[in-house]
Amino acid sequence: VGDTSGFLAAIFKRGIPYIQIPTTLLAQVDAAIGGKTGVDVKEAKNLLGSFYHPRLVLIDPLLLKTLNKAQMLSAIAEVIKYAAIKDKHLFKYLEDNFAKILQKDLPSLEFVILRCAKIKARIVSQDEREKKGIRTLLNFGHTIGHALEAASGYAGYSHGEAVALGMLVAADLSHKYRLISQEKVFRLAQLIKNYGLPTLIKGITLEKIIQAMPYDKKFQGEKTRFVLLKDIGCACLKNNVPYSLIKEALAKRISKK
Ligand SMILES: NC(=O)c1ccc[n+]([C@@H]2O[C@H](COP(=O)([O-])OP(=O)(O)OC[C@H]3O[C@@H](n4cnc5c(N)ncnc54)[C@H](O)[C@@H]3O)[C@@H](O)[C@H]2O)c1
Ligand SMILES: [Zn+2]
């Protein structure tokens, strides 16, 4: 709704002011902020769109009281993403308060939403059009995540579940590059597990996932570009990640059962 109405506001009479009032956790921490608006057409997601910022984003966490668990969880994956790439204090808060957050405790939600909204706003104000490799960091977990969604025919995993698994594969890759310790990969896996998100890929073969990968927007030509972690709360871009390494990391996360 936010993407479509934002796009309509952008093109109606060549642009009218509008306000975003997001009612899902995902929209409150992500979609309503950053000015990306658009509609999906049958050929591709977000094929028609524009950058068009709202005058105001009005967030009320009380709205989330009626949001179902699946929608909450899908957004939690993006919340974990923000913490992993930019905010080690938020990461610790998510570790310490998962029960409260899952119960939709209002002060906890307020804390988390404000923190995430600030991170997204800061990143977007530094690199609105994704030209400096800063906004790209928001794609942590999405390279493999998008491949998982596509490989399962957009029916197997929700976006959040796919992103959770994608973050773990990216963390495993980060460890292979000796950027982060095994212990930190384990912390991420434990956090994802505590929120009830998956940590193992089930029902999709390695080949299918790899086949689905080159279509990711971050694959510029033959180059395989990944967002990796240097630490909890600190991410970087890595170009030319070889397929052999991606396959090794994926294999580790594919359930043997
Ligand atoms: N523009 C961006 O930067 C950006 C970023 C991330 C995602 N997106 C887009 O956002 C879309 C997903 O949006 P979304 O996650 O906000 O979900 P949504 O609008 O698809 O809503 C999900 C479901 O929750 C219900 N719902 C919404 N608010 C509710 C509430 N308060 N209580 C009970 N039920 C409620 C809706 O009716 C719907 O069934 C996707 O199309 C995605 O591509 C855009
Ligand atoms: Zn996402």
Side-chain angles (χ1 to χ4, degrees), residues 169-217:
V169 175
D172 289 333
L173 277 172
S174 312
H175 178 59
K176 283 185 186 292
Y177 277 107
R178 298 178 195 278
L179 292 168
I180 55 166
S181 64
Q182 190 61 56
E183 186 206 332
K184 284 174 185 166
V185 179
F186 183 74
R187 257 181 87 188
L188 179 64
Q190 196 57 40
L191 185 62
I192 285 171
K193 199 170 164 191
N194 281 347
Y195 281 89
L197 286 160
T199 54
L200 282 176
I201 301 164
K202 289 185 183 156
I204 314 175
T205 61
L206 182 69
E207 290 68 34
K208 277 220 151 145
I209 303 167
I210 294 284
Q211 270 169 21
M213 276 184 60
Y215 301 104
D216 189 277
K217 66 179 174 196

Short mmCIF file of all heavy atoms in Angstrom, two decimals, residues 169-217:
data_model
loop_
_atom_site.label_atom_id
_atom_site.label_comp_id
_atom_site.label_asym_id
_atom_site.label_seq_id
_atom_site.Cartn_x
_atom_site.Cartn_y
_atom_site.Cartn_z
N VAL A 169 24.10 -17.39 5.67
CA VAL A 169 25.05 -17.79 4.63
C VAL A 169 26.11 -16.68 4.47
O VAL A 169 27.31 -16.95 4.37
CB VAL A 169 24.34 -18.08 3.29
CG1 VAL A 169 25.34 -18.37 2.18
CG2 VAL A 169 23.37 -19.26 3.44
N ALA A 170 25.66 -15.42 4.49
CA ALA A 170 26.61 -14.30 4.37
C ALA A 170 27.56 -14.26 5.58
O ALA A 170 28.75 -13.94 5.43
CB ALA A 170 25.84 -12.98 4.24
N ALA A 171 27.03 -14.60 6.75
CA ALA A 171 27.89 -14.63 7.95
C ALA A 171 28.92 -15.76 7.83
O ALA A 171 30.09 -15.59 8.19
CB ALA A 171 27.04 -14.79 9.20
N ASP A 172 28.46 -16.91 7.32
CA ASP A 172 29.40 -18.02 7.11
C ASP A 172 30.50 -17.61 6.12
O ASP A 172 31.67 -17.92 6.32
CB ASP A 172 28.65 -19.26 6.57
CG ASP A 172 27.78 -19.91 7.63
OD1 ASP A 172 28.09 -19.77 8.83
OD2 ASP A 172 26.77 -20.54 7.27
N LEU A 173 30.09 -16.90 5.06
CA LEU A 173 31.09 -16.41 4.09
C LEU A 173 32.06 -15.43 4.77
O LEU A 173 33.27 -15.47 4.53
CB LEU A 173 30.39 -15.69 2.94
CG LEU A 173 29.85 -16.56 1.80
CD1 LEU A 173 29.03 -15.70 0.85
CD2 LEU A 173 30.97 -17.25 1.03
N SER A 174 31.51 -14.58 5.62
CA SER A 174 32.36 -13.62 6.33
C SER A 174 33.40 -14.36 7.16
O SER A 174 34.56 -13.93 7.25
CB SER A 174 31.52 -12.73 7.26
OG SER A 174 30.40 -12.22 6.59
N HIS A 175 32.98 -15.45 7.77
CA HIS A 175 33.92 -16.25 8.56
C HIS A 175 34.97 -16.90 7.66
O HIS A 175 36.16 -16.94 8.00
CB HIS A 175 33.17 -17.31 9.37
CG HIS A 175 34.08 -18.20 10.17
ND1 HIS A 175 34.95 -17.71 11.12
CD2 HIS A 175 34.30 -19.54 10.12
CE1 HIS A 175 35.64 -18.70 11.64
NE2 HIS A 175 35.27 -19.83 11.05
N LYS A 176 34.54 -17.37 6.50
CA LYS A 176 35.50 -17.97 5.56
C LYS A 176 36.56 -16.96 5.13
O LYS A 176 37.69 -17.31 4.87
CB LYS A 176 34.78 -18.52 4.33
CG LYS A 176 34.07 -19.85 4.60
CD LYS A 176 33.47 -20.43 3.33
CE LYS A 176 32.63 -21.66 3.66
NZ LYS A 176 33.46 -22.79 4.13
N TYR A 177 36.17 -15.70 5.03
CA TYR A 177 37.14 -14.64 4.70
C TYR A 177 37.88 -14.14 5.94
O TYR A 177 38.57 -13.12 5.88
CB TYR A 177 36.42 -13.46 4.03
CG TYR A 177 36.20 -13.66 2.55
CD1 TYR A 177 34.93 -13.93 2.05
CD2 TYR A 177 37.25 -13.57 1.64
CE1 TYR A 177 34.71 -14.11 0.69
CE2 TYR A 177 37.05 -13.74 0.28
CZ TYR A 177 35.77 -14.02 -0.19
OH TYR A 177 35.58 -14.20 -1.53
N ARG A 178 37.68 -14.80 7.05
CA ARG A 178 38.30 -14.44 8.33
C ARG A 178 37.97 -13.03 8.77
O ARG A 178 38.78 -12.32 9.39
CB ARG A 178 39.84 -14.61 8.27
CG ARG A 178 40.28 -16.03 8.01
CD ARG A 178 41.79 -16.11 7.92
NE ARG A 178 42.21 -17.37 7.33
CZ ARG A 178 42.32 -18.51 7.98
NH1 ARG A 178 42.07 -18.57 9.25
NH2 ARG A 178 42.71 -19.61 7.36
N LEU A 179 36.77 -12.59 8.42
CA LEU A 179 36.34 -11.26 8.85
C LEU A 179 35.71 -11.30 10.24
O LEU A 179 35.84 -10.37 11.02
CB LEU A 179 35.33 -10.68 7.84
CG LEU A 179 35.88 -10.34 6.46
CD1 LEU A 179 34.75 -10.07 5.48
CD2 LEU A 179 36.79 -9.12 6.53
N ILE A 180 34.98 -12.39 10.51
CA ILE A 180 34.38 -12.53 11.85
C ILE A 180 34.62 -13.93 12.41
O ILE A 180 34.85 -14.88 11.64
CB ILE A 180 32.85 -12.25 11.89
CG1 ILE A 180 32.09 -13.11 10.89
CG2 ILE A 180 32.54 -10.79 11.71
CD1 ILE A 180 30.59 -13.12 11.14
N SER A 181 34.55 -14.04 13.72
CA SER A 181 34.80 -15.33 14.38
C SER A 181 33.58 -16.24 14.26
O SER A 181 32.46 -15.77 14.05
CB SER A 181 35.10 -15.09 15.86
OG SER A 181 33.96 -14.55 16.49
N GLN A 182 33.82 -17.52 14.45
CA GLN A 182 32.74 -18.51 14.46
C GLN A 182 31.73 -18.19 15.57
O GLN A 182 30.54 -18.38 15.42
CB GLN A 182 33.35 -19.91 14.66
CG GLN A 182 32.38 -21.06 14.46
CD GLN A 182 31.80 -21.09 13.05
OE1 GLN A 182 32.53 -21.13 12.08
NE2 GLN A 182 30.48 -21.05 12.94
N GLU A 183 32.28 -17.68 16.66
CA GLU A 183 31.43 -17.35 17.81
C GLU A 183 30.39 -16.28 17.44
O GLU A 183 29.23 -16.36 17.85
CB GLU A 183 32.35 -16.84 18.93
CG GLU A 183 31.67 -16.58 20.23
CD GLU A 183 32.42 -15.53 21.03
OE1 GLU A 183 33.66 -15.39 20.86
OE2 GLU A 183 31.76 -14.83 21.80
N LYS A 184 30.79 -15.31 16.62
CA LYS A 184 29.84 -14.26 16.22
C LYS A 184 28.80 -14.80 15.23
O LYS A 184 27.64 -14.38 15.26
CB LYS A 184 30.59 -13.06 15.65
CG LYS A 184 31.23 -12.26 16.77
CD LYS A 184 32.10 -11.13 16.31
CE LYS A 184 32.76 -10.50 17.55
NZ LYS A 184 33.87 -9.62 17.22
N VAL A 185 29.24 -15.72 14.38
CA VAL A 185 28.27 -16.37 13.48
C VAL A 185 27.23 -17.10 14.34
O VAL A 185 26.02 -17.03 14.08
CB VAL A 185 28.95 -17.38 12.52
CG1 VAL A 185 27.93 -18.04 11.61
CG2 VAL A 185 30.04 -16.68 11.69
N PHE A 186 27.73 -17.75 15.38
CA PHE A 186 26.84 -18.51 16.26
C PHE A 186 25.86 -17.58 16.98
O PHE A 186 24.68 -17.89 17.12
CB PHE A 186 27.68 -19.31 17.27
CG PHE A 186 26.83 -20.16 18.17
CD1 PHE A 186 26.24 -21.33 17.69
CD2 PHE A 186 26.60 -19.80 19.49
CE1 PHE A 186 25.43 -22.11 18.50
CE2 PHE A 186 25.79 -20.57 20.31
CZ PHE A 186 25.21 -21.72 19.82
N ARG A 187 26.36 -16.41 17.39
CA ARG A 187 25.47 -15.43 18.06
C ARG A 187 24.32 -15.03 17.13
O ARG A 187 23.17 -14.94 17.55
CB ARG A 187 26.27 -14.17 18.43
CG ARG A 187 26.63 -14.11 19.90
CD ARG A 187 27.39 -12.83 20.19
NE ARG A 187 26.51 -11.70 20.50
CZ ARG A 187 26.95 -10.45 20.65
NH1 ARG A 187 28.23 -10.17 20.50
NH2 ARG A 187 26.11 -9.49 20.94
N LEU A 188 24.67 -14.78 15.86
CA LEU A 188 23.64 -14.40 14.88
C LEU A 188 22.63 -15.55 14.71
O LEU A 188 21.41 -15.33 14.70
CB LEU A 188 24.29 -14.03 13.54
CG LEU A 188 23.33 -13.64 12.41
CD1 LEU A 188 22.55 -12.37 12.75
CD2 LEU A 188 24.08 -13.44 11.09
N ALA A 189 23.16 -16.77 14.58
CA ALA A 189 22.28 -17.93 14.38
C ALA A 189 21.35 -18.10 15.59
O ALA A 189 20.16 -18.38 15.43
CB ALA A 189 23.12 -19.19 14.16
N GLN A 190 21.91 -17.92 16.78
CA GLN A 190 21.13 -18.09 18.00
C GLN A 190 20.02 -17.04 18.09
O GLN A 190 18.89 -17.34 18.46
CB GLN A 190 22.09 -17.97 19.21
CG GLN A 190 21.52 -18.50 20.50
CD GLN A 190 21.08 -19.96 20.42
OE1 GLN A 190 21.76 -20.78 19.81
NE2 GLN A 190 19.93 -20.28 21.00
N LEU A 191 20.36 -15.81 17.69
CA LEU A 191 19.37 -14.72 17.72
C LEU A 191 18.22 -15.04 16.76
O LEU A 191 17.04 -14.93 17.10
CB LEU A 191 20.04 -13.40 17.35
CG LEU A 191 19.18 -12.14 17.45
CD1 LEU A 191 18.72 -11.91 18.88
CD2 LEU A 191 19.92 -10.91 16.94
N ILE A 192 18.59 -15.45 15.56
CA ILE A 192 17.59 -15.78 14.54
C ILE A 192 16.69 -16.91 15.04
O ILE A 192 15.46 -16.87 14.93
CB ILE A 192 18.30 -16.14 13.21
CG1 ILE A 192 18.84 -14.85 12.56
CG2 ILE A 192 17.39 -16.90 12.26
CD1 ILE A 192 19.74 -15.06 11.37
N LYS A 193 17.31 -17.90 15.67
CA LYS A 193 16.57 -19.05 16.21
C LYS A 193 15.63 -18.62 17.35
O LYS A 193 14.49 -19.07 17.42
CB LYS A 193 17.60 -20.07 16.73
CG LYS A 193 17.05 -21.45 16.91
CD LYS A 193 18.20 -22.40 17.18
CE LYS A 193 17.66 -23.69 17.74
NZ LYS A 193 18.74 -24.52 18.25
N ASN A 194 16.13 -17.76 18.23
CA ASN A 194 15.31 -17.29 19.37
C ASN A 194 14.01 -16.63 18.93
O ASN A 194 13.01 -16.66 19.63
CB ASN A 194 16.10 -16.31 20.24
CG ASN A 194 17.07 -17.01 21.15
OD1 ASN A 194 17.01 -18.23 21.32
ND2 ASN A 194 18.00 -16.27 21.72
N TYR A 195 14.04 -15.99 17.77
CA TYR A 195 12.83 -15.32 17.27
C TYR A 195 11.95 -16.28 16.47
O TYR A 195 10.92 -15.87 15.94
CB TYR A 195 13.20 -14.09 16.44
CG TYR A 195 13.56 -12.91 17.33
CD1 TYR A 195 14.87 -12.72 17.76
CD2 TYR A 195 12.58 -12.05 17.81
CE1 TYR A 195 15.20 -11.67 18.61
CE2 TYR A 195 12.90 -10.99 18.65
CZ TYR A 195 14.20 -10.81 19.05
OH TYR A 195 14.51 -9.78 19.89
N GLY A 196 12.38 -17.52 16.34
CA GLY A 196 11.56 -18.50 15.64
C GLY A 196 11.73 -18.46 14.14
O GLY A 196 10.89 -18.96 13.39
N LEU A 197 12.83 -17.84 13.69
CA LEU A 197 13.12 -17.82 12.25
C LEU A 197 14.04 -19.01 11.92
O LEU A 197 14.77 -19.50 12.79
CB LEU A 197 13.79 -16.50 11.86
CG LEU A 197 12.86 -15.29 11.83
CD1 LEU A 197 13.63 -13.98 11.94
CD2 LEU A 197 12.01 -15.30 10.56
N PRO A 198 14.03 -19.49 10.67
CA PRO A 198 14.80 -20.69 10.34
C PRO A 198 16.31 -20.46 10.28
O PRO A 198 16.77 -19.36 9.94
CB PRO A 198 14.27 -21.08 8.94
CG PRO A 198 13.80 -19.80 8.36
CD PRO A 198 13.29 -18.97 9.50
N THR A 199 17.05 -21.50 10.61
CA THR A 199 18.53 -21.42 10.50
C THR A 199 19.07 -22.46 9.52
O THR A 199 20.25 -22.48 9.24
CB THR A 199 19.20 -21.63 11.88
OG1 THR A 199 18.73 -22.86 12.43
CG2 THR A 199 18.89 -20.50 12.84
N LEU A 200 18.18 -23.31 9.01
CA LEU A 200 18.60 -24.31 8.01
C LEU A 200 17.65 -24.26 6.81
O LEU A 200 16.44 -24.07 6.97
CB LEU A 200 18.57 -25.72 8.60
CG LEU A 200 19.72 -26.16 9.50
CD1 LEU A 200 19.46 -27.54 10.06
CD2 LEU A 200 21.07 -26.11 8.78
N ILE A 201 18.23 -24.41 5.62
CA ILE A 201 17.42 -24.39 4.38
C ILE A 201 16.84 -25.79 4.17
O ILE A 201 17.58 -26.77 4.18
CB ILE A 201 18.31 -24.00 3.17
CG1 ILE A 201 18.93 -22.61 3.40
CG2 ILE A 201 17.52 -24.05 1.87
CD1 ILE A 201 20.10 -22.29 2.48
N LYS A 202 15.53 -25.84 3.98
CA LYS A 202 14.90 -27.16 3.78
C LYS A 202 14.11 -27.19 2.46
O LYS A 202 13.46 -26.21 2.11
CB LYS A 202 13.93 -27.47 4.93
CG LYS A 202 14.67 -27.76 6.22
CD LYS A 202 13.74 -28.18 7.34
CE LYS A 202 14.56 -28.36 8.59
NZ LYS A 202 13.78 -28.21 9.81
N GLY A 203 14.20 -28.31 1.78
CA GLY A 203 13.35 -28.53 0.60
C GLY A 203 13.80 -27.83 -0.67
O GLY A 203 13.05 -27.79 -1.64
N ILE A 204 15.00 -27.25 -0.68
CA ILE A 204 15.51 -26.64 -1.92
C ILE A 204 16.94 -27.13 -2.14
O ILE A 204 17.74 -27.15 -1.19
CB ILE A 204 15.55 -25.09 -1.86
CG1 ILE A 204 14.25 -24.53 -1.28
CG2 ILE A 204 15.80 -24.49 -3.24
CD1 ILE A 204 14.26 -23.02 -1.08
N THR A 205 17.26 -27.52 -3.37
CA THR A 205 18.61 -28.02 -3.63
C THR A 205 19.59 -26.87 -3.86
O THR A 205 19.20 -25.77 -4.24
CB THR A 205 18.65 -28.93 -4.89
OG1 THR A 205 18.24 -28.13 -6.00
CG2 THR A 205 17.73 -30.14 -4.74
N LEU A 206 20.85 -27.20 -3.63
CA LEU A 206 21.93 -26.23 -3.84
C LEU A 206 21.90 -25.68 -5.27
O LEU A 206 22.03 -24.47 -5.50
CB LEU A 206 23.27 -26.93 -3.55
CG LEU A 206 24.54 -26.11 -3.64
CD1 LEU A 206 24.59 -25.10 -2.52
CD2 LEU A 206 25.76 -27.00 -3.59
N GLU A 207 21.71 -26.60 -6.24
CA GLU A 207 21.73 -26.20 -7.66
C GLU A 207 20.63 -25.17 -7.94
O GLU A 207 20.85 -24.18 -8.63
CB GLU A 207 21.53 -27.43 -8.57
CG GLU A 207 22.70 -28.40 -8.62
CD GLU A 207 22.91 -29.16 -7.31
OE1 GLU A 207 21.89 -29.45 -6.62
OE2 GLU A 207 24.07 -29.42 -6.95
N LYS A 208 19.46 -25.44 -7.40
CA LYS A 208 18.32 -24.52 -7.65
C LYS A 208 18.62 -23.12 -7.11
O LYS A 208 18.28 -22.11 -7.72
CB LYS A 208 17.06 -25.06 -6.97
CG LYS A 208 16.34 -26.09 -7.79
CD LYS A 208 14.84 -25.85 -7.67
CE LYS A 208 14.15 -26.32 -8.93
NZ LYS A 208 12.85 -26.89 -8.69
N ILE A 209 19.25 -23.08 -5.94
CA ILE A 209 19.55 -21.78 -5.32
C ILE A 209 20.58 -21.03 -6.18
O ILE A 209 20.42 -19.86 -6.50
CB ILE A 209 20.07 -21.94 -3.88
CG1 ILE A 209 19.05 -22.71 -3.04
CG2 ILE A 209 20.36 -20.59 -3.25
CD1 ILE A 209 19.57 -23.20 -1.70
N ILE A 210 21.63 -21.76 -6.58
CA ILE A 210 22.68 -21.13 -7.41
C ILE A 210 22.08 -20.62 -8.73
O ILE A 210 22.37 -19.50 -9.17
CB ILE A 210 23.82 -22.15 -7.69
CG1 ILE A 210 24.54 -22.50 -6.38
CG2 ILE A 210 24.80 -21.63 -8.74
CD1 ILE A 210 25.48 -21.42 -5.86
N GLN A 211 21.22 -21.45 -9.34
CA GLN A 211 20.59 -21.04 -10.61
C GLN A 211 19.80 -19.75 -10.43
O GLN A 211 19.72 -18.93 -11.34
CB GLN A 211 19.60 -22.12 -11.06
CG GLN A 211 20.22 -23.18 -11.95
CD GLN A 211 19.25 -24.34 -12.14
OE1 GLN A 211 18.05 -24.21 -11.95
NE2 GLN A 211 19.80 -25.49 -12.48
N ALA A 212 19.20 -19.59 -9.26
CA ALA A 212 18.35 -18.42 -9.04
C ALA A 212 19.17 -17.17 -8.72
O ALA A 212 18.64 -16.07 -8.68
CB ALA A 212 17.38 -18.70 -7.89
N MET A 213 20.48 -17.34 -8.53
CA MET A 213 21.29 -16.22 -8.04
C MET A 213 21.65 -15.11 -9.03
O MET A 213 21.57 -13.95 -8.66
CB MET A 213 22.56 -16.73 -7.38
CG MET A 213 22.31 -17.11 -5.95
SD MET A 213 23.79 -17.61 -5.15
CE MET A 213 24.78 -16.18 -5.31
N PRO A 214 22.08 -15.42 -10.25
CA PRO A 214 22.59 -14.33 -11.10
C PRO A 214 21.57 -13.23 -11.37
O PRO A 214 21.92 -12.16 -11.81
CB PRO A 214 22.97 -15.04 -12.40
CG PRO A 214 23.13 -16.45 -12.01
CD PRO A 214 22.17 -16.69 -10.90
N TYR A 215 20.31 -13.50 -11.10
CA TYR A 215 19.29 -12.50 -11.36
C TYR A 215 19.22 -11.45 -10.27
O TYR A 215 18.54 -10.46 -10.41
CB TYR A 215 17.93 -13.17 -11.57
CG TYR A 215 17.97 -14.13 -12.71
CD1 TYR A 215 18.02 -15.50 -12.49
CD2 TYR A 215 18.04 -13.66 -14.02
CE1 TYR A 215 18.11 -16.38 -13.55
CE2 TYR A 215 18.13 -14.53 -15.08
CZ TYR A 215 18.15 -15.89 -14.84
OH TYR A 215 18.25 -16.74 -15.89
N ASP A 216 19.98 -11.68 -9.19
CA ASP A 216 19.97 -10.69 -8.13
C ASP A 216 20.58 -9.39 -8.64
O ASP A 216 21.56 -9.39 -9.38
CB ASP A 216 20.78 -11.19 -6.92
CG ASP A 216 20.59 -10.29 -5.73
OD1 ASP A 216 21.29 -9.27 -5.66
OD2 ASP A 216 19.75 -10.59 -4.90
N LYS A 217 19.97 -8.25 -8.20
CA LYS A 217 20.41 -6.96 -8.76
C LYS A 217 21.85 -6.62 -8.37
O LYS A 217 22.48 -5.78 -8.98
CB LYS A 217 19.45 -5.85 -8.36
CG LYS A 217 19.42 -5.55 -6.89
CD LYS A 217 18.46 -4.42 -6.59
CE LYS A 217 18.35 -4.26 -5.08
NZ LYS A 217 17.24 -3.51 -4.62
#
